[in-house]
Amino acid sequence: MQRCTTLTLARHSRLLLRSKFALAQCQQSAAMSSLLINQPKYAWLKELGLSEDNPGVYNGSWGGSGEVITSYCPANNEPIARVTQATLAEYEETVQKTKEAWKLWADIPAPKRAEIVRQIGDALRKKIKVLGSLVSLEMGKIYVEGVGEVQEYVDVCDYAVGLSRMIGGPILPSERPGHALIEQWNPVGLVGIITAFNFPVAVYGWNNAIALTCGNVCLWKGAPTTPLTSVAVTKIVAEVLEQNNLPGSICSMTCGGADIGTAMAKDERVDLLSFTGSTYVGKMVAMMVQERFGRKLLELGGNNAIIVFEDADLNLVVPSAVFASVGTAGQRCTTTRRLMLHESVHDTVVESLAKAYKQVRIGDPWDPSTLYGPLHTKQAVEQYLAAIEQAKQQGGTVVCGGKVMDRPGNYVEPTIITGLAHDASIVHTETFVPILYVLKFKTEEEAFAWNNEVKQGLSSSIFTKDLGRVFRWLGPRGSDCGIVNVNIPTSGAEIGGAFGGEKHTGGGRESGSDSWKQYMRRSTCTINYSKDLPLAQGIKFE
């Protein structure tokens, strides 16, 4: 009887085990099938080398054994796929491999390095539409902006190729006979790149292409909410390196959260840390880097203003203001957040803007006809509602918008608020959402002062036909921003000009002009080719 009972229990246990295994398989299968990547509509994601589960570490080989995170689509809040982040041990291994790769990369002549950058640009061109679609799907910006963002990376690659034959310092006249005085520029070494969710391709591209051409190696930590884009871009870059028999760790990647970002900021082996994100986090990063006397490149927040004078061409003003305030659902660092209108045109412009806002086509970001997509996260929706409530409490009037839209995803109405004081606390707060504060001014001096009174100093613009005012705006008592525009909006910067801002925006400059200098170290070199030893300033030491 006992044997019979034992056998019965054993069979029951096996059946229970099989049942649990079958249930686990069903749950796993259901979880996989619920991922967008497994739906026929999104099969194109696999063209980028993505799968249900993706390794979030690359240092010449793929890995990752940290926290598994799920990437969600902001347009419907459905899961796209999963990424396994880096552990601190894997970060350590990656830094070591990346530093080792620099010894090889730095010895390659700059034009030869640029040939690799050119190939990266070509590889991106081949996948520009599918990669742009991923940006749209994962970040939430509209399709044309997603493709445009990849185009920025391509354009900077082209820029960096030309730069490779132009890097150099001057030969300076020496006051001593038989002496030559020159400036020598060399790469800093390892460039750590921390990027934000709103431009998950372009900001890395700005840093990566120029840093590589200058002779640096790169370690990238993208935003935790856009990890699939980081993985897809790294796969494209890694393939180019591998095809050229170069160490993949020249362009390493560690997906992760604050622990990886903190490690990069504190790591003395990271010779330059480029951080793009909020002013709040940027300040903490800056302090950690400064504590070790490290080099940093900061691209932080912006509270950007358009100023419209009485002589402005309103046919330019309205579309400019709509694009700059509504584009990317207000999630650009160059988004227009303050619109200052001369009292003589205030009512007319507000009325026209309100009509234009109602015509903005809202919908799925990957639909080519859509102009306005969702916010990136549910938290952003909460920040949107909180900002509107604060604006009302501080005397603002909602002219249009102001509500969360009744549809799947993180959609909110683009919003215009009037009646606030220029120095209201909410006006001086950069809320990363599509809210435009409209202010009424009387004089040029007043408008310029209001533009400059916020803590950030990224982008600014005036609309006027007065040539004298234009040059006053560009002059020492005009805008204090890094980007100063006339008769165009605050957003939409070109890669040929150095991008960045002053004050709490961080002071960094990326992309064009002489921004390459931030990725290199300068040495002043004096060479004595004579047989004498004259001293500078005529000093005699005999």
Side-chain angles (χ1 to χ4, degrees), residues 333-478:
C333 53
T334 54
T335 292
T336 298
R337 310 203 180 276
R338 298 176 296 151
L339 178 62
M340 303 177 191
L341 302 175
H342 188 268
E343 59 185 1
S344 65
V345 298
H346 177 276
D347 294 350
T348 301
V349 173
V350 170
E351 183 181 354
S352 298
L353 269 181
K355 289 179 181 177
Y357 265 50
K358 292 174 183 176
Q359 296 172 20
V360 173
R361 297 188 299 277
I362 302 172
D364 292 336
W366 50 87
D367 182 336
S369 65
T370 299
L371 292 178
Y372 176 93
L375 292 176
H376 185 55
T377 62
K378 293 178 182 179
Q379 290 78 11
V381 175
E382 294 171 2
Q383 292 168 1
Y384 166 87
L385 290 172
I388 290 172
E389 187 59 34
Q390 288 180 50
K392 289 178 180 177
Q393 292 174 2
Q394 293 172 28
T397 300
V398 176
V399 173
C400 68
K403 298 176 183 176
V404 176
M405 300 181 69
D406 185 16
R407 57 175 295 163
N410 307 320
Y411 287 87
V412 300
E413 295 176 342
T415 302
I416 299 173
I417 296 178
T418 60
L420 286 163
H422 67 91
D423 55 355
S425 61
I426 191 63
V427 173
H428 281 224
T429 302
E430 183 201 25
T431 308
F432 223 58
V433 294
I435 299 176
L436 179 66
Y437 303 114
V438 180
L439 311 173
K440 186 188 294 186
F441 73 89
K442 294 182 179 181
T443 67
E444 175 187 305
E445 184 178 12
E446 186 177 56
F448 286 7
W450 293 1
N451 177 78
N452 297 346
E453 71 182 0
V454 297
K455 291 184 177 180
Q456 303 87 348
L458 179 53
S459 188
S460 57
S461 181
I462 63 168
F463 282 78
T464 185
K465 296 173 186 174
D466 186 327
L467 194 59
R469 178 179 290 139
V470 167
F471 282 95
R472 289 190 293 274
W473 173 244
L474 303 179
R477 296 179 62 189

